[in-house]
Amino acid sequence: MSSQSGNFLFTSESVSEGHPDKVCDQISDAVLDAFLANDQKLGIADDTLANSRVACETLTTTQKIVVAGEVRGADPLIQSGVINREIIADIARGVVKDIGYEQDGFSWHGADVEVLLHGQSADIAQGVNAKKGKGNQGDQEGAGDQGLMFGYACRETEVYEKNSFMPAPIYFSHRILSDLADARHSGKLKDLLPDSKSQVTVKYENGKPVGCTKVVVSTQHADRNGKGKSYSSNMIKEMIRSCVEKSLPKGWMPKKASDFLVNPTGRFVTGGPDGDCGLTGRKIIVDTYGGYAPHGGGAFSGKDLSKVDRSAAYATRYLAKNIVAAGLADRCLIQVAYAIGVADPMSVLIDCQGTANVDDKKLAKILPDIFSLRPTAIRRHLGLNKPIYQRTAAYGHFGRKPQRDGGFSWEKIDLVPELKNAFNL
């Protein structure tokens, strides 16, 4: 769909930090962050043989949190090979508290937390760990699994936020919910509750986004307002209207009342894990490009950076974004594929979808020389062995601003000078 150049409509959705699946993603990534932070304290954050391995999955339902999966790490999270379950449980509760769940059916203090993490398989470890004595040790670290990953960038949102390089439908779907969450946390919209979803339909003319035809927001809310009156959908609609309108470019808000839908099924009081079971990794399209570009199928949250589902998806986004930022193309899609335990990719595809301003074949040839797609090279270049992942687990992994502590490093455009130089631009 991203190669369309005519007139069409495209829709993407987002879900908030309080959505049941996103609660799980954040818990899984908070556990990962804890292991990576401990590596830093022990001075082993860049030792490919000693650093932590994490594959953490979370399930949430009514007053229940289950954390399961495989890990490898050092004290204090693992003591004599036994997982410190009390620390993991406290991490899970802390995430739920920060999100804001204080409800009868799900709360940070009332939920029972069951920790079922266990040690990583030695069979997996032997293929993933770097091999000593064989060339460059770091470059011998194998991929944590087989699979294919995609990265994408385009110029659609450039005039609305510099250097975001994201498709408009997913970008504004995220922005609506992020702004509503800020208003909830600040107390400005205190009767909103954590669970919410958005959906934005964007109108394209000659392949460029020009406005919204439909905006849908479903948001959990308190049963009654301060005057004791039960909330209706229309009351919630008027409560959030100005915040939603400010989240969109000027003139994009649909004019017809029927094109701005809020809680279309009615009141939304029971929500979060009490209303719907949550699982890690069920919102992979929300996490990436909103369906506007292909997805390889692998989830991100709870996975350490030996898992190329995550690290290679970040790397391909990084490359695609730098190619577009350098003016080499208006759109860029990159696919990479791996085999478990093997460092070099099985294949690499670069598709500028007819928008390249340079020779496609030359671009494909020089890119591996500029940036290696071996797992260790990705991890080191982007500085991925840091506790920076819980923040990625809501409102998208892409289109965010790089942060001083290394967060969202794959959003940097520091390859632009080298790419331009390669084409004498």
Side-chain angles (χ1 to χ4, degrees), residues 3 27 54 60 102 112 123 127 132 144 165 190 229 249 261 271 283 285 315 320 336 338 340 358-359 375 377 385 423:
S3 61
I27 291 172
V54 179
T60 57
E102 288 271 6
D112 174 58
D123 292 342
K132 287 185 175 180
F165 296 105
K190 62 182 180 180
K229 186 175 181 179
L261 289 78
K283 288 293 178 283
I285 299 301
V336 63
Y338 292 89
I340 188 169
V358 297
D359 186 288
N385 265 10
F423 289 92

Side-chain angles (χ1 to χ4, degrees), residues 26-39 52-56 77 88 91 300-305 310 384 386-390:
Q26 290 167 91
I27 291 172
S28 293
D29 271 340
V31 171
L32 170 62
D33 280 351
F35 277 88
L36 295 177
N38 194 52
D39 284 352
S52 294
R53 296 285 186 253
V54 179
C56 178
L77 290 163
I88 302 298
I91 289 169
F300 299 158
S301 291
K303 296 178 180 179
D304 73 76
L305 284 308
R310 185 170 214 161
L384 297 180
K386 297 175 182 176
I388 55 174
Y389 296 103
Q390 183 183 343

Side-chain angles (χ1 to χ4, degrees), residues 123-131 137-147 149 305-309 311-312 336-347 372-378:
D123 292 342
I124 293 176
Q126 70 179 352
V128 175
N129 289 341
K131 278 75 173 178
Q137 176 181 327
D139 283 350
Q140 294 300 316
E141 184 180 355
D145 202 352
Q146 71 175 46
M149 302 84 210
L305 284 308
S306 71
K307 281 75 172 174
V308 284
D309 279 345
S311 58
V336 63
Y338 292 89
I340 188 169
V342 180
D344 288 308
M346 299 292 100
S347 66
S372 171
L373 284 166
R374 287 184 167 188
T376 303
I378 293 172

Side-chain angles (χ1 to χ4, degrees), residues 4-71:
Q4 284 277 2
S5 58
N7 300 337
F8 59 95
L9 303 177
F10 194 90
T11 303
S12 293
E13 71 159 349
S14 180
V15 297
S16 73
E17 65 202 58
H19 185 279
D21 296 330
K22 280 290 149 200
V23 173
C24 295
D25 285 344
Q26 290 167 91
I27 291 172
S28 293
D29 271 340
V31 171
L32 170 62
D33 280 351
F35 277 88
L36 295 177
N38 194 52
D39 284 352
Q40 287 189 330
K41 290 179 183 178
L42 297 174
I44 58 174
D46 201 36
D47 183 335
T48 57
L49 289 173
N51 58 13
S52 294
R53 296 285 186 253
V54 179
C56 178
E57 311 290 346
T58 303
L59 176 149
T60 57
T61 187
T62 302
Q63 292 293 40
K64 183 73 175 182
I65 302 170
V66 179
V67 183
E70 304 80 46
V71 295

Side-chain angles (χ1 to χ4, degrees), residues 176-366:
I176 287 170
L177 294 187
S178 179
D179 288 350
L180 285 174
D182 288 344
R184 175 176 63 85
H185 284 296
S186 71
K188 183 179 179 181
L189 296 178
K190 62 182 180 180
D191 281 349
L192 295 187
L193 297 178
D195 191 2
S196 60
K197 303 176 77 171
S198 66
Q199 185 170 287
V200 174
T201 300
V202 173
K203 181 180 180 180
Y204 287 78
E205 293 181 354
N206 297 319
K208 295 183 178 181
V210 296
C212 293
T213 63
K214 301 280 185 180
V215 174
V216 183
V217 178
S218 294
T219 180
Q220 188 186 15
H221 56 82
D223 182 27
R224 298 175 182 274
N225 64 15
K227 298 179 180 180
K229 186 175 181 179
S230 295
Y231 274 115
S232 66
S233 294
N234 283 335
M235 291 168 68
I236 299 299
K237 184 175 186 177
E238 293 312 308
M239 179 194 297
I240 70 171
R241 179 188 295 275
S242 63
C243 186
V244 172
E245 188 167 3
K246 289 177 182 178
S247 302
L248 299 171
K250 187 176 181 179
W252 276 41
M253 188 73 173
K255 300 296 189 293
K256 293 182 180 179
S258 59
D259 292 336
F260 176 40
L261 289 78
V262 175
N263 291 358
T265 62
R267 282 160 48 82
F268 184 4
V269 175
T270 300
D274 185 34
D276 189 11
C277 179
L279 290 170
T280 297
R282 287 206 301 196
K283 288 293 178 283
I284 59 176
I285 299 301
V286 169
D287 285 342
T288 53
Y289 307 103
Y292 204 77
H295 194 294
F300 299 158
S301 291
K303 296 178 180 179
D304 73 76
L305 284 308
S306 71
K307 281 75 172 174
V308 284
D309 279 345
R310 185 170 214 161
S311 58
Y314 290 168
T316 51
R317 161 64 177 177
Y318 174 64
L319 291 175
K321 183 174 182 177
N322 274 269
I323 287 169
V324 174
L328 306 187
D330 291 334
R331 294 192 296 265
C332 183
L333 176 70
I334 298 178
Q335 185 207 52
V336 63
Y338 292 89
I340 188 169
V342 180
D344 288 308
M346 299 292 100
S347 66
V348 179
L349 169 71
I350 302 172
D351 180 10
C352 296
Q353 300 175 338
T355 70
N357 300 313
V358 297
D359 186 288
D360 289 60
K361 292 181 180 179
K362 182 178 179 181
L363 180 58
K365 184 177 180 180
I366 69 167

